[in-house]
Amino acid sequence: QVQLVESGGGLVQAGGSLRLSCAASGRTFSSYAMGWFRQAPGKEREFVEAISWSGSSTYYADSVKGRFTISRDNAKNTVYLQMNSLKPEDTAVYYCAAAKGLSDYIYEYDYWGQGTQVTVSS
């Protein structure tokens, strides 16, 4: 199993940037694909971006294309989400999760962090 803890959230103005981090514990981290999801108030949790275990493949939602970039450092057991050109509609709690393979389906993810709040002001 793997334990996940997100950090890096906060308040930022529209057009600004944030980098989220997800630190994992456990010896099996490098064997998992990792994904980021988000959930806004009154909305269902939605897929944002995912990366394969090796970091060679990524998959992303159309809503963040060209603005967000996922990456991972297996030596540090950490996955990142670089968020640029932030918009008020990006405001949500952001979660990282681990899956067997690259996927945008929430049910494919076995382990979840507790989330970090991102608030974008207009």
Side-chain angles (χ1 to χ4, degrees), residues 1-61:
Q1 298 187 12
V2 60
Q3 308 300 125
L4 306 174
V5 180
E6 302 94 337
S7 63
L11 176 64
V12 65
Q13 293 182 332
S17 299
L18 283 174
R19 189 179 75 161
L20 305 184
S21 298
C22 177
S25 62
R27 299 173 65 182
T28 61
F29 171 76
S30 62
S31 67
Y32 284 88
M34 299 295 297
W36 286 96
F37 292 77
R38 66 186 182 185
Q39 187 166 21
K43 302 291 183 64
E44 294 185 1
R45 192 170 300 183
E46 66 173 345
F47 171 76
V48 176
E49 196 162 1
I51 188 168
S52 64
W53 69 269
S54 67
S56 62
S57 299
T58 61
Y59 186 66
Y60 45 82

Side-chain angles (χ1 to χ4, degrees), residues 31-35 50-53 98-105 108-110:
S31 67
Y32 284 88
M34 299 295 297
I51 188 168
S52 64
W53 69 269
K100 182 179 179 180
L102 193 66
S103 176
D104 61 347
Y105 293 111
E108 293 284 356
Y109 288 81
D110 300 313

Side-chain angles (χ1 to χ4, degrees), residues 6 12 14-15 20 23 30 47 53 55 73 76 89 95 107 112 116:
E6 302 94 337
V12 65
L20 305 184
S30 62
F47 171 76
W53 69 269
D73 185 341
K76 295 183 177 180
E89 52 263 44
Y95 300 88
Y107 59 82
W112 294 82
T116 185

